[in-house]
Amino acid sequence: MSDPAVAPPLAERRRTALRLEIARAAVRLFATQGVTGATGEQIAQCVGISARTLWRHFPTKESCVRPLLTAGLDAATDQLRHWPPQVPLLDYLTDSCRRGTLPSVDPAVLDLIRMTVDEPALRAVWLQAHDDALPVIAGLLAARAGTSADRLQVKVHASMVNGALRIAAEDFAAKCANGGEASADALAACLHAALRTVTDGLPY
């Protein structure tokens, strides 16, 4: 079994770095030219690679942004793996934001999340990223509870946490566009409010 503390191989780190560079180039082009106006070939040119290389990494130009959209989700699910016993999830994740354990606020990601509201193709990538994260979250919640991830209760709880993470990110991005503070504390406040709504349950 591999040691989780060991860094990924150099080739994997380079691949990850290239995918992030492609994602950032795609966001810049989508922001200036629109998703329809930008092409995969232009994204490749910005990064200094061939279009053929780009398509080896991503099936569509819209999917090029996925690494930026999944970074926060991956960090959140990683935090769930280290969620201490007897600590409410609400307090744990918001404290993680403030301590800088989750990714720092990235203007490019905020721009991208705002674009997912009006661009159906980017919205599909954003929602798919969350859909892919759902079984991971369910598995982590099930393991903590000592039960099966197939249980209805676990799946509902996982969906609620997943939805809270997505909506908190969208709300935070919108607030920043309207002059709100783009800080870890402000992000933590949005996350706290969303998760508080989950833990409070339906008010009806």
Side-chain angles (χ1 to χ4, degrees), residues 27-103:
V27 172
R28 290 194 298 271
L29 283 172
F30 292 163
T32 56
Q33 298 180 203
V35 177
T36 303
T39 67
E41 287 71 18
Q42 288 176 312
I43 297 171
Q45 277 186 338
C46 287
V47 181
I49 59 175
S50 67
R52 183 176 179 179
T53 299
L54 178 78
W55 301 132
R56 281 206 301 267
H57 286 272
F58 299 101
T60 66
K61 65 180 180 181
E62 294 85 3
S63 65
C64 289
V65 303
R66 184 181 169 94
L68 286 176
L69 291 176
T70 57
L73 264 175
D74 291 343
T77 53
D78 187 60
Q79 288 299 300
L80 286 176
R81 291 186 180 91
H82 301 92
W83 180 11
Q86 311 305 319
V87 177
L89 178 61
L90 178 65
D91 297 335
Y92 175 58
L93 284 183
T94 50
D95 285 348
S96 293
C97 273
R98 294 192 175 98
R99 291 196 312 269
T101 308
L102 295 177

Side-chain angles (χ1 to χ4, degrees), residues 35 65 69 109-127 166 170 173:
V35 177
V65 303
L69 291 176
V109 175
L110 296 181
D111 288 341
L112 176 57
I113 291 175
R114 286 190 288 268
M115 280 191 276
T116 66
V117 175
D118 300 316
E119 292 284 354
L122 295 183
R123 186 71 178 174
V125 177
W126 178 227
L127 295 179
R166 177 180 61 79
E170 293 173 358

Side-chain angles (χ1 to χ4, degrees), residues 114 170-181:
R114 286 190 288 268
E170 293 173 358
D171 187 67
F172 179 64
K175 286 178 177 176
C176 290
N178 292 319
E181 181 183 0

Side-chain angles (χ1 to χ4, degrees), residues 6-28:
V6 176
L10 179 59
E12 184 178 338
R13 297 201 302 272
R14 285 176 173 168
R15 178 177 180 274
T16 299
L18 176 59
R19 285 170 61 84
L20 281 170
E21 189 178 357
I22 291 170
R24 291 183 184 282
V27 172
R28 290 194 298 271

